[in-house]
Amino acid sequence: MTMKTKILFLFCALFVQTAVFADIEKPVTLEQLPAAAQQTIKQHFPNRQIALAKMEVELLGKKYDVIFTNGEKIEFDSKGQWTDIECKQSQVPAALVPAAIAAFVKKNYPQTTILKLERDRRTYEVELSNRLELKFDKSFRLIDIDD
């Protein structure tokens, strides 16, 4: 075997192994969630019953999804920090909305509520009750609007 063939074979073997172990899902209990996720649920969603909590093992780590019996959903990263909050029956708890975003929505869209809030390393995305979607950068400057 040539060196190129060996390297290609090794790369393919690693890829197959990674693909097999990626995106494994398993149900978990509230107590098996990271402490920060447990605290967020207890503090901001105290009266919600959990229908399903699951851990997903991905290539770059774990994430946790919690779905409540009313259909609302919250996702957490491996450290237990929320990454996505989706409230169909009510609104995202005000304490979880960054103050600058809350002030922007109150000033510019006073008749709406925030139904969905998503964050990643660079942006925050907000869906309002009028179905307008706002995107903010990490400095909370509005960078996009989708209707």
Side-chain angles (χ1 to χ4, degrees), residues 49-77:
Q49 270 194 291
I50 296 175
L52 172 67
K54 63 183 178 177
M55 176 183 67
E56 294 180 38
V57 179
E58 299 178 326
L59 284 176
L60 302 175
K62 298 176 184 176
K63 78 174 196 173
Y64 299 87
D65 294 339
V66 176
I67 303 168
F68 299 104
T69 55
N70 66 356
E72 295 178 349
K73 178 179 165 183
I74 185 166
E75 294 178 10
F76 299 96
D77 64 16

Side-chain angles (χ1 to χ4, degrees), residues 8-9 12 21 32-33 36 48-49 53-55 61 67 93 105 109 116 118 123 127:
L8 181 62
F9 178 76
C12 289
F21 291 109
Q32 292 172 309
L33 295 172
R48 310 274 197 323
Q49 270 194 291
K54 63 183 178 177
M55 176 183 67
I67 303 168
V105 170
Y109 304 99
K116 184 175 181 179
E118 186 175 348
T123 61
E127 182 179 319

Side-chain angles (χ1 to χ4, degrees), residues 71-132:
E72 295 178 349
K73 178 179 165 183
I74 185 166
E75 294 178 10
F76 299 96
D77 64 16
S78 60
K79 296 176 184 173
Q81 301 300 311
W82 67 264
T83 57
D84 191 357
I85 304 169
E86 197 171 325
C87 296
K88 298 175 183 179
Q89 304 295 322
S90 60
Q91 63 185 12
V92 173
L96 294 175
V97 179
I101 292 176
F104 180 90
V105 170
K106 184 177 181 180
K107 178 182 176 190
N108 296 289
Y109 304 99
Q111 303 300 318
T112 64
T113 57
I114 297 175
L115 300 179
K116 184 175 181 179
L117 181 60
E118 186 175 348
R119 70 177 171 191
D120 59 27
R121 289 187 188 110
R122 293 173 289 211
T123 61
Y124 283 83
E125 293 185 33
V126 175
E127 182 179 319
L128 302 177
S129 54
N130 65 357
R131 301 297 175 219
L132 200 62

